[in-house]
Amino acid sequence: MKPVLYIDIDGVFFAHYDGWLNLRPGANSILKQWAMDFDCRWLTCWPHDKITQWLCSTYAPDLVRKIPSAKWRDSKLEGVDLSSNFLWIEDGLRSDEAEQLKQAGLIQRF
């Protein structure tokens, strides 16, 4: 079984360059590689339909549609199965989430 990779979108795949929100260079290739190596999950505040709508215009649509969104409400950690073999790619971990990961001995997975 592949490890789970939780993926944020803002700041990870998109960033501001010269005041404009742009796709990061090489992002498409990186996502394709991650999808081969991991069981990917979106972990973002973006609604799943918006992820699909926007990312399908820049990435391989079949790949983007296969990646489900992790469900969470108040903390992204609600969407992470801490008992699984996981990694989390996030541009800005909240201090309370970082503390919870530290207490669980999982901060190295961020």
Side-chain angles (χ1 to χ4, degrees):
M1 184 190 269
K2 294 185 203 178
V4 177
L5 180 63
Y6 294 99
I7 308 168
D8 184 32
I9 293 178
D10 292 322
V12 174
F13 284 104
F14 295 99
H16 290 296
Y17 298 97
D18 296 324
W20 297 91
L21 186 63
N22 287 288
L23 183 64
R24 286 192 184 272
N28 193 22
S29 299
I30 291 168
L31 182 61
K32 286 180 182 180
Q33 185 63 51
W34 286 346
M36 286 190 291
D37 297 337
F38 297 94
D39 181 9
C40 296
R41 302 275 187 274
W42 300 120
L43 187 59
T44 179
C45 59
W46 287 34
H48 191 78
D49 63 327
K50 296 296 180 193
I51 295 170
T52 303
Q53 179 183 13
W54 200 14
L55 293 183
C56 280
S57 68
T58 58
Y59 296 110
D62 292 340
L63 174 60
V64 170
R65 286 187 186 101
K66 289 179 184 177
I67 300 174
S69 291
K71 303 212 182 310
W72 62 280
R73 183 177 160 153
D74 298 319
S75 167
K76 286 185 177 179
L77 274 178
E78 295 168 5
V80 176
D81 178 0
L82 298 178
S83 68
S84 69
N85 181 15
F86 76 92
L87 294 173
W88 182 5
I89 308 246
E90 168 74 50
D91 68 313
L93 192 60
R94 292 184 350 198
S95 60
D96 61 321
E97 293 168 338
E99 186 57 35
Q100 286 178 298
L101 286 174
K102 285 179 191 171
Q103 288 178 6
L106 300 171
I107 192 66
Q108 75 281 4
R109 298 205 186 175
F110 165 72

